[in-house]
Amino acid sequence: MATSESEPVTDRKRGAIPPALFNACFALLVINVCYFPVAYVSGMWIWATSGLGIPTDFVNVWAAGKLVLDGHPALAYDWDIQKQVELALLGQDFPGYFAWHYPPPFLFVASLLAMLPYSVAFIGWMAASLVPYLAVVRGIVGRPFGLMLAIAFPMVFSNTLVGQNGFLTAALIGGTLYLIPARPILAGVCLGLLSYKPQYGLLFPIVLIAASQWRVFISAGVTAVAMALASWLAFGTESWQAFFHWMPMFSQAFLTEGKATWWKLQSIFSLVRYFGGTEPLAWAFQWVLTASVATVLVLMWRSRVPYTLKAAALAAGTLLTTPYLFMYDMMVLAIPVAFLVRIGLKNGFRAYELPALGCAAGKIPFSPSSASTSPERNSKEASFRAMVPPKALVALTNATGTAVSPAVETASPSAPCCSTFPPWT
């Protein structure tokens, strides 16, 4: 995202939205917006034409909330009891489990949703979590085009299809990174709220300490502790005991036994297991990648690299450090894309950057959309999908590769590390 004679940009008019980018986003936006109303009335989303519920990930949220409302929050973690509630709701059986494995604070969300009829809760959850996601991406891009980019992001389809929490996760990670330069305490609150996804909590403390972002670090810790205390008061000690009791079983099922099948996960851990590697070998690959990503990010955040690139790299790197990574979690990649698009709109895109984004987006339909919507998959299709490189690694490579280019927007030597990003434009 630089302007140099050796690497021509796609549009030299500063601030112009390249027509190819606009047209691609518009087409994807139309697909995402139009599909779900049609699918709902056609019996392909939430409820089938037979009147039976379609098994998707959201059923475990509603079922967990129902158990909370019935006065048994700890039973939400019991796989068999949880499934009985899900079967009663959907009216049909399904293979495997939609298990509840989130920390007790997320039971507040589940219980609120369970107060509503299932369809209203499903659609309402998607709409309510979409709003902060749209606001964050629009703020990062810095212009209304960010709203189109956010809705057009390919993973919007997969996340909405199964009723997952990808919008909220992306909003909290994006909100944290967007607010750090000017509102560090509020940024910490966003990060503390992200504790409902503890697998994303590894890199942020390391990077915040390396960058001396102590107000963000402390406010995140206070927020996380406050949420845990509130959930303890609301749901009792038994809910936390159940969470820690069932967590090793969940890890055993997904990361040791491969109950979700390896090609449905998006991590390097699952890639090694898919191709026949042992669990220790997979962990070795995962920890080497995690350590490498952490090292790169610490060096970046302690350097004079522009803040936009630091933020993009951290958002992408967050996905690389967890072995448990499903397709809906890839919603987080909308955040580094938004930061990189911001730079491109300001300085112009290099000739290869928009085609690279298009290729990355084009690979998404060849990846699994959910561990639940289609339990039967063609083996050749699965083999091809498993060979698709992790998109988070591609995004991190793009961010760090751009960061070292001498022609990229650079920070003033006398400026603090985050001052080059104007967060309120």
Side-chain angles (χ1 to χ4, degrees):
M1 295 164 188
T3 56
S4 66
E5 294 181 1
S6 60
E7 297 192 46
V9 295
T10 58
D11 193 333
R12 290 187 179 276
K13 184 177 179 182
R14 187 175 295 273
I17 300 174
L21 178 61
F22 182 90
N23 293 338
C25 287
F26 181 77
L28 291 170
L29 179 148
V30 171
I31 293 172
N32 286 337
V33 169
C34 294
Y35 173 81
F36 292 101
V38 174
Y40 182 76
V41 299
S42 302
M44 297 186 295
W45 186 48
I46 304 179
W47 296 103
T49 52
S50 61
L52 301 177
I54 299 175
T56 62
D57 295 3
F58 182 75
V59 70
N60 79 63
V61 179
W62 195 93
K66 182 68 165 57
L67 287 168
V68 172
L69 296 179
D70 290 343
H72 308 290
L75 295 182
Y77 296 94
D78 188 304
W79 290 14
D80 294 322
I81 294 177
Q82 169 89 341
K83 185 168 184 176
Q84 292 306 311
V85 178
E86 295 166 353
L87 294 176
L89 170 66
L90 300 177
Q92 64 171 319
D93 199 359
F94 53 84
Y97 294 87
F98 291 98
W100 178 262
H101 53 273
Y102 296 100
F106 205 54
L107 288 173
F108 286 115
V109 174
S111 60
L112 288 174
L113 293 171
M115 294 179 182
L116 303 172
Y118 185 66
S119 294
V120 176
F122 195 124
I123 298 172
W125 170 235
M126 290 297 93
S129 58
L130 179 66
V131 171
Y133 163 71
L134 292 177
V136 166
V137 175
R138 191 262 181 251
I140 292 171
V141 174
R143 60 178 70 190
F145 174 70
L147 297 174
M148 177 184 287
L149 179 68
I151 299 176
F153 194 67
M155 295 318 305
V156 168
F157 185 92
S158 296
N159 186 76
T160 307
L161 186 66
V162 299
Q164 264 292 349
N165 48 47
F167 293 147
L168 179 61
T169 303
L172 292 175
I173 290 179
T176 299
L177 296 169
Y178 177 69
L179 293 167
I180 282 176
R183 300 290 187 273
I185 294 178
L186 189 55
V189 172
C190 291
L191 184 57
L193 293 174
L194 187 64
S195 59
Y196 85 97
K197 286 271 200 178
Q199 66 266 37
Y200 292 145
L202 178 62
L203 282 183
F204 272 97
I206 296 173
V207 169
L208 292 176
I209 292 172
S212 299
Q213 293 287 345
W214 301 113
R215 285 185 291 176
V216 181
F217 185 89
I218 294 172
S219 61
V222 170
T223 301
V225 170
M227 289 176 55
L229 179 60
S231 67
W232 175 66
L233 294 173
F235 308 125
T237 304
E238 295 80 6
S239 64
W240 279 98
Q241 290 174 334
F243 170 69
F244 288 113
H245 172 76
W246 284 92
M247 187 52 57
M249 301 181 189
F250 182 85
S251 177
Q252 173 78 14
F254 280 84
L255 300 181
T256 300
E257 300 173 4
K259 294 294 187 182
T261 69
W262 299 119
W263 58 267
K264 292 179 181 178
L265 294 170
Q266 303 294 301
S267 64
I268 193 171
F269 178 94
S270 62
L271 187 66
V272 173
R273 295 304 307 272
Y274 177 84
F275 284 110
T278 63
E279 184 179 4
L281 180 64
W283 277 115
F285 272 86
Q286 183 65 60
W287 283 115
V288 168
L289 177 61
T290 298
S292 301
V293 170
T295 300
V296 170
L297 288 173
V298 166
L299 293 175
M300 284 187 69
W301 278 72
R302 290 182 63 86
S303 72
R304 293 294 179 174
V305 169
Y307 180 78
T308 43
L309 293 174
K310 294 178 181 179
L314 179 53
T318 298
L319 298 181
L320 292 169
T321 57
T322 172
Y324 181 73
L325 186 70
F326 276 107
M327 199 63 186
Y328 55 82
D329 292 310
M330 306 301 277
M331 272 301 311
V332 174
L333 287 182
I335 303 306
V337 168
F339 277 109
L340 296 177
V341 167
R342 176 190 178 94
I343 300 173
L345 294 179
K346 179 180 180 181
N347 296 340
F349 292 89
R350 292 192 180 110
Y352 65 83
E353 287 176 334
L354 289 179
L357 284 175
C359 289
K363 289 191 292 187
I364 291 178
F366 297 100
S367 299
S369 60
S370 171
S372 57
T373 55
S374 301
E376 298 177 359
R377 298 285 186 174
N378 181 275
S379 60
K380 292 183 179 179
E381 178 188 9
S383 299
F384 176 79
R385 287 173 174 175
M387 287 184 265
V388 176
K391 299 171 196 68
L393 185 58
V394 174
L396 179 61
T397 302
N398 287 343
T400 55
T402 306
V404 299
S405 172
V408 173
E409 168 194 13
T410 56
S412 168
S414 61
C417 65
C418 298
S419 64
T420 59
F421 176 52
W424 304 111
T425 58

